[in-house]
Amino acid sequence: MPIRKGVRDVSRQVFLYDPPERFVAGTVGLPGRRTFFLQASAAGRVTSVALEKAQVAALAERIDELLDEVVRRTGGNAPVPAVAPTDVSDTAPLDVPVEEEFRVGTMALAWDGEEQRMIVEAQALVELDAESEEDLAAAEERLLQDEENGPPMLRVRLSGAQARAFAKRALDVVNAGRPPCPLCSLPLDPEGHVCPRQNGYRRGA
């Protein structure tokens, strides 16, 4: 595998929202060419970070899994709803202009049992010295834990209800892309799609 190199020792810039007024996943661009963002805002501040579609899906799924685990371990006593409450749902588009602070490389989740809050951290993509996947994972973990040095990071602290609402919207955003071809189930592009079930003929969207 290629070796990722070149981390600079710099003071870490942390975009902290505790709590955010909004924390949502959204997109810019047409289906098939969408750029995905996490966006946090509060008190007139807005921070937008870009990431991959698969990262959005993984983050949403892991938030739901962690919340389910919190509910299980506390016997249902934690302030975590089983599903996203409708009164905190956010279906509005991203705040514009969407200005990318950085592209996300590593993300981390934790549950603060004392404050009853979900902590979401998204760290900027960097190049790391690593000879193996294990070395790379260890280097990424050190960067996440280093509060003084390292790449920029977005950190938000959410209530259980906010976290559920974020996860639901994020999965809705992921699933709202190109419609599937009724024949082969591959995504349809706006200008059409080469369908293997039709021997490579282009099928209209």
Side-chain angles (χ1 to χ4, degrees), residues 8-9 12 23-24 33 35 51 76 108 127:
R8 292 184 299 122
D9 187 26
R12 180 187 291 275
F23 179 55
V24 296
R33 298 178 178 85
T35 301
L51 70 173
E127 295 182 342

Side-chain angles (χ1 to χ4, degrees), residues 125-201:
L125 180 66
V126 295
E127 295 182 342
L128 298 172
D129 288 317
E131 299 291 344
S132 67
E133 291 293 340
E134 292 78 9
D135 290 344
L136 180 59
E140 289 175 339
E141 182 65 22
R142 286 194 298 271
L143 282 176
L144 279 169
Q145 295 178 353
D146 186 350
E147 292 294 331
E148 298 299 326
N149 304 294
M153 173 188 289
L154 170 64
R155 177 182 293 145
V156 297
R157 294 173 63 88
L158 307 168
S159 67
Q162 286 177 310
R164 284 288 194 205
F166 169 85
K168 181 182 185 305
R169 170 177 168 139
L171 290 175
D172 288 344
V173 167
V174 167
N175 294 327
R178 293 170 289 174
C181 172
L183 296 180
C184 70
S185 299
L186 293 174
L188 289 168
D189 293 317
E191 64 272 16
H193 151 77
V194 179
C195 179
R197 292 289 297 276
Q198 296 211 337
N199 297 320
Y201 289 110

Side-chain angles (χ1 to χ4, degrees), residues 53-63 65 107 109 171 174:
K53 177 180 179 178
Q55 290 176 297
V56 177
L59 177 61
E61 290 166 1
R62 289 171 187 171
I63 284 176
E65 290 171 0
M107 294 183 289
L109 295 176
L171 290 175
V174 167

Side-chain angles (χ1 to χ4, degrees), residues 8 11-17 23 35-40 45-52 55 98-108 120-126 144 150-156:
R8 292 184 299 122
S11 178
R12 180 187 291 275
Q13 183 180 22
V14 177
F15 300 91
L16 175 63
Y17 291 83
F23 179 55
T35 301
F36 287 76
F37 289 92
L38 301 180
Q39 188 178 79
R45 291 190 303 134
V46 180
T47 302
S48 304
V49 297
L51 70 173
E52 300 297 326
Q55 290 176 297
V98 179
E99 299 179 349
E100 179 183 324
E101 293 291 346
F102 58 81
R103 177 161 289 275
V104 175
T106 303
M107 294 183 289
V120 181
E121 295 179 342
Q123 176 181 275
L125 180 66
V126 295
L144 279 169
M153 173 188 289
L154 170 64
R155 177 182 293 145
V156 297

